[in-house]
Amino acid sequence: MSGNETTTTNTAGSGSSVGIQAEWVHNSTVYMVSSDDPPEQKYQVGVNYLDNGVPLRAREWIDEAIARDYDGAEVRFHWALALLSKRSYRELSADERGLLGELPDHIATYPDSEWTRALEALCELLGHLDVPDPDPAPVLEKLRSLPFRQREKIVRHCDLVLTSGVKDSLWAENRRTAGRGQRAGNRENRVWAYFQPEPIPPRAQYPDPNGATPQHWLRAVLASALLAGSLGILGWILLQRPTAISVIAYSMTLAVGALAARTGFEWRYRTQRLRAKEREYAGEVAAHAAPGSGFANQVDHDFQYYAHKYAPKGVDRSVWLADTRGIRAALRNEVVELYRENRIQVGRVRWLIRHLIQDVQRQWSKNILFSYRQQYRTPLSTRAWCLSALVVGVLAACAVVDAAVRTAPLSALASVFIAVITGRVVTFRWCYILGERRRFAEEDQEHARKMEARQTAYQRWKDKLAATCPTEEEMETWLECDRVLLVDEALRHYRLAWRDITAHTIVRTPAKSCKRARVNGGPWRYSKYDLQLFLITAEGVRELAKQLDVEHGTFHGNERGHFRFDAVSSLRVVESGDSKYTLELTLSNGPSRTIEVTEPERKFEPASPDEPGLSRISLDATGFTHALHVLEGISAEGKAWIQRDTAATQRSNPVPFGIESAA
């Protein structure tokens, strides 16, 4: 490879993956527009793209609005900024320069307004660049007389076009503005919400359906009819030779039998429900919770994390964890069963996990976590009445059988036999039917209570996200402030002024183990960036690399370097697919630098068939095009790229306003 070679290949480089912890696409209409919408709506979407750091898409929509006769000073102002944003003047095509040169003709047709004056100031600023050693005072006075909104837009989007004289004059103000704005708007307590996934609506496990089928009812009714018939025959036999003792015994048998059945059912039902609850909360985690089992394992991790985070204060944590182990396992299994679907991220159900653990903590602190034990404990009086009724019933039944056998032995014995058999069937059948009916009613009420509580927690979390989440414009403004402060740190460290900087560029790439999110139609934004700043001077290149924590607005790490132009051996651009780029900058006197620009797609990334230009939008937002232009220029021509006289270019492609081709 020759010393000045610049190559582009489609071979994926090794180690080019960047880990993403979480990702999400927020529903928003800030970029939503269709071909049938009126031109003013397309223009507004274009302005949104420009304000949020995507000038490429901004130019497309503003151009379309202008093509449909939606024009004016404000429209042309934003159109010009979209053309200049994140580009040096030499990156503009001849046609684009010609269009800029037509702006004064358009201004003459617009009525006086703040946007007309802003457009005039922009034209004067561009025309000022062609004057040798110009005095920036008149232009700066015109610029500073503008309202803050227009002035800030010009300074921000024309950053790569301005010459050193004007930039020096504006830099102090720009730096102060960035210092104030970096943490404005409660940034540290709001950015986290941007990277939160859309919470999935609440669900709760439905109760098992009532197990009493028509067959159960039919058998119970038939058995009840046979039992009633056999008891009726016994009563008829006793009436053949009635005595006071036999009549009283028969009546008592029926009465205490009903009492024994009622209390026995209550006793049996409570016992069964208590055992079922104890089994449910026995602390057994479902088999699919094995380590590495994907969604289930992540849910298990989150349950453990929040169990430690929300442990009651002032108590032994081991006691809390041991007491709640079973209930937490049951809730964990429920969440896995309810939400274990393809492409469901655990982040979408984290709000529910947090709510469940907090609810368990609240109940544990109030000593009502195991209230079901009290609810289903059989009262002593119920047991006593049941046992007493059984004893009395057996004695009374013996007296009835004895009296009936003395009167009609065969009929009495047959009736007793049928009554015993059918009585057993009736008891078990009706206990099952009534128990299932009662269980389903209780669990249905419990399901409704859970859904109400979870819906409340879900809405509360959604409201908090909506109130906290920053807008696209706020996110871009904070990133712009970070960029300015990074440049300021490099200038102070290397003791350089803006007049010493011929060109500069920042390669902004996602850091490893970061989160990412975007709104519909917008670029990906990351919770952490690796920033690599290149300051190009007449003598060489200064380099500063740091990691930016977007959530807190802080820089971490500090890697600096510098090299001469003749030390650059080559720049290799590794392109794989539409959204994977790697820059390999090779130096003759040191190791090569590998810069990851984008990361591979993640399996959880929502499909976006309606956004075919997503990779272009994301690259445009990072300033990749300008970075590639600068680095390729240095790699191909070295110092000659900086010192190249542009007179020939100006003669072949006249520059409007007399603008020199500054990087």
Side-chain angles (χ1 to χ4, degrees):
M1 187 178 293
S2 62
N4 289 326
E5 181 182 3
T6 301
T7 62
T8 300
T9 179
N10 288 324
T11 304
S14 61
S16 60
S17 63
V18 178
I20 301 295
Q21 289 181 331
E23 55 188 314
W24 190 248
V25 180
H26 301 290
N27 292 322
S28 174
T29 59
V30 67
Y31 300 125
M32 294 296 99
V33 66
S34 67
S35 58
D36 298 329
D37 289 330
E40 55 267 26
Q41 186 170 346
K42 295 180 179 181
Y43 162 73
Q44 187 56 55
V45 170
V47 173
N48 291 341
Y49 271 116
L50 178 63
D51 290 340
N52 300 332
V54 192
L56 178 67
R57 292 289 283 170
R59 293 195 295 272
E60 294 175 0
W61 286 117
I62 297 177
D63 277 339
E64 188 165 341
I66 293 175
R68 294 180 61 180
D69 298 327
Y70 188 75
D71 200 357
E74 180 182 353
V75 176
R76 289 290 173 175
F77 175 79
H78 286 105
W79 171 85
L81 292 184
L83 200 62
L84 297 168
S85 183
K86 296 187 178 180
R87 305 169 82 188
S88 64
Y89 199 79
R90 72 170 67 185
E91 293 177 61
L92 300 179
S93 67
D95 290 340
E96 290 171 332
R97 298 181 187 187
L99 291 173
L100 283 174
E102 297 173 2
L103 283 179
D105 297 333
H106 290 288
I107 293 176
T109 64
Y110 301 142
D112 182 57
S113 69
E114 63 178 6
W115 293 108
T116 304
R117 292 189 291 273
L119 189 56
E120 290 174 349
L122 177 59
C123 289
E124 290 185 20
L125 181 65
L126 295 175
H128 167 82
L129 303 180
D130 191 39
V131 181
D133 299 323
D135 178 12
V139 174
L140 291 175
E141 182 179 356
K142 181 82 170 180
L143 186 61
R144 285 173 175 150
S145 67
L146 297 176
F148 175 79
R149 178 172 56 161
Q150 285 87 353
R151 183 174 74 253
E152 187 274 336
K153 284 177 179 282
I154 292 175
V155 173
R156 171 184 168 189
H157 294 292
C158 296
D159 178 65
L160 298 176
V161 176
L162 300 179
T163 56
S164 58
V166 177
K167 290 170 70 174
D168 264 346
S169 302
L170 295 175
W171 178 247
E173 178 183 350
N174 199 16
R175 183 182 56 200
R176 287 193 298 269
T177 302
R180 291 192 302 266
Q182 188 186 34
R183 288 181 172 81
N186 198 19
R187 173 181 182 171
E188 293 187 59
N189 296 318
R190 293 181 60 208
V191 173
W192 64 268
Y194 187 89
F195 299 101
Q196 287 294 313
E198 182 74 15
I200 198 167
R203 303 175 188 173
Q205 210 162 35
Y206 284 98
D208 292 335
N210 192 331
T213 63
Q215 290 80 1
H216 289 97
W217 280 89
L218 178 61
R219 293 170 184 172
V221 170
L222 290 177
S224 298
L226 289 174
L227 176 61
S230 61
L231 292 177
I233 292 173
L234 281 176
W236 176 257
I237 294 173
L238 292 176
L239 290 177
Q240 302 303 314
R241 293 181 181 178
T243 63
I245 295 177
S246 64
V247 172
I248 293 173
Y250 184 79
S251 300
M252 188 173 294
T253 299
L254 296 179
V256 298
L259 178 61
R262 183 173 181 275
T263 54
F265 165 75
E266 188 70 19
W267 190 351
R268 184 174 186 270
Y269 175 79
R270 287 173 176 266
T271 301
Q272 289 180 335
R273 291 295 295 154
L274 182 59
R275 290 174 180 172
K277 285 289 186 180
E278 294 290 4
R279 285 195 302 271
E280 182 181 357
Y281 299 146
E284 297 297 329
V285 176
H288 47 58
S293 59
F295 176 77
N297 190 53
Q298 291 176 327
V299 171
D300 191 52
H301 171 271
D302 283 352
F303 265 95
Q304 294 184 33
Y305 169 77
Y306 286 117
H308 284 79
K309 180 177 180 179
Y310 294 113
K313 298 180 180 179
V315 298
D316 188 349
R317 178 171 295 183
S318 61
V319 175
W320 144 258
L321 294 175
D323 285 351
T324 61
R325 178 176 179 271
I327 289 181
R328 287 187 287 110
L331 293 173
R332 174 255 175 227
N333 294 339
E334 179 187 8
V335 171
V336 170
E337 291 301 323
L338 288 173
Y339 294 101
R340 195 180 189 186
E341 302 170 5
N342 188 30
R343 301 179 71 85
I344 290 292
Q345 298 185 55
V346 71
R348 299 191 64 193
V349 300
R350 192 164 286 133
W351 69 270
L352 177 58
I353 297 173
R354 185 167 53 247
H355 161 71
L356 294 176
I357 292 297
Q358 288 176 329
D359 187 54
V360 170
Q361 190 264 1
R362 178 185 60 81
Q363 294 184 54
W364 190 85
S365 299
K366 293 183 177 181
N367 201 28
I368 59 174
L369 185 60
F370 302 101
S371 58
Y372 67 87
R373 292 174 178 171
Q374 181 65 27
Q375 177 185 354
Y376 292 117
R377 184 182 65 84
T378 306
L380 184 60
S381 59
T382 301
R383 301 182 186 186
W385 278 109
C386 182
L387 294 175
S388 301
L390 286 175
V391 172
V392 174
V394 169
L395 294 177
C398 290
V400 170
V401 171
D402 180 67
V405 169
R406 291 176 183 273
T407 303
L410 293 179
S411 299
L413 291 175
S415 297
V416 170
F417 178 77
I418 294 174
V420 171
I421 298 299
T422 57
R424 182 178 182 278
V425 174
V426 165
T427 300
F428 285 106
R429 293 296 178 188
W430 282 112
C431 279
Y432 178 77
I433 292 172
L434 297 177
E436 279 293 285
R437 183 178 180 181
R438 182 172 171 180
R439 174 199 63 79
F440 182 80
E442 289 180 353
E443 291 185 351
D444 189 54
Q445 291 180 354
E446 179 67 12
H447 173 266
R449 186 194 66 78
K450 286 182 178 180
M451 279 300 297
E452 182 180 3
R454 294 178 186 185
Q455 182 64 41
T456 301
Y458 168 75
Q459 193 59 50
R460 183 168 58 246
W461 179 243
K462 285 201 67 175
D463 292 343
K464 181 176 182 179
L465 289 180
T468 306
C469 187
T471 63
E472 280 287 281
E473 187 172 358
E474 286 178 310
M475 291 292 292
E476 183 63 25
T477 299
W478 287 326
L479 287 174
E480 177 65 15
C481 292
D482 296 331
R483 184 194 69 82
V484 171
L485 294 178
L486 178 66
V487 172
D488 180 63
E489 180 180 342
L491 291 175
R492 286 187 288 106
H493 174 77
Y494 290 114
R495 299 180 180 179
L496 296 171
W498 262 125
R499 67 178 64 90
D500 303 319
I501 306 302
T502 305
H504 77 282
T505 187
I506 295 179
V507 181
R508 193 173 73 193
T509 59
K512 292 185 178 181
S513 301
C514 66
K515 296 173 286 187
R516 74 175 184 176
R518 65 184 180 91
V519 301
N520 285 327
W524 284 113
R525 300 190 186 277
Y526 302 86
S527 61
K528 294 179 182 179
Y529 285 99
D530 286 329
L531 303 179
Q532 201 150 1
L533 169 64
F534 295 92
L535 296 177
I536 292 88
T537 67
E539 302 302 325
V541 179
R542 306 294 198 277
E543 183 182 4
L544 175 63
K546 281 182 174 290
Q547 185 175 99
L548 170 63
D549 184 342
V550 177
E551 296 189 30
H552 300 94
T554 56
F555 293 102
H556 302 280
N558 195 3
E559 183 178 346
R560 295 186 296 270
H562 57 275
F563 50 88
R564 301 185 311 276
F565 293 113
D566 56 7
V568 180
S569 175
S570 68
L571 175 71
R572 181 167 175 259
V573 182
V574 181
E575 178 181 350
S576 178
D578 294 333
S579 58
K580 308 179 185 71
Y581 291 85
T582 301
L583 304 182
E584 296 181 0
L585 184 64
T586 304
L587 303 179
S588 59
N589 61 348
S592 62
R593 286 160 169 76
T594 301
I595 305 171
E596 314 269 352
V597 178
T598 55
E599 79 291 335
E601 302 297 330
R602 296 282 292 174
K603 66 178 181 179
F604 284 123
E605 180 181 335
S608 54
D610 58 327
E611 299 173 291
L614 175 59
S615 61
R616 285 200 312 145
I617 292 173
S618 297
L619 287 174
D620 191 36
T622 64
F624 172 75
T625 303
H626 176 67
L628 187 60
H629 169 77
V630 171
L631 295 177
E632 284 184 329
I634 294 174
S635 173
E637 302 181 44
K639 192 172 184 178
W641 184 80
I642 301 299
Q643 298 175 337
R644 175 158 40 96
D645 184 8
T646 59
T649 303
Q650 294 178 8
R651 285 192 296 269
S652 60
N653 297 306
V655 180
F657 314 115
I659 303 174
E660 64 176 347
S661 296

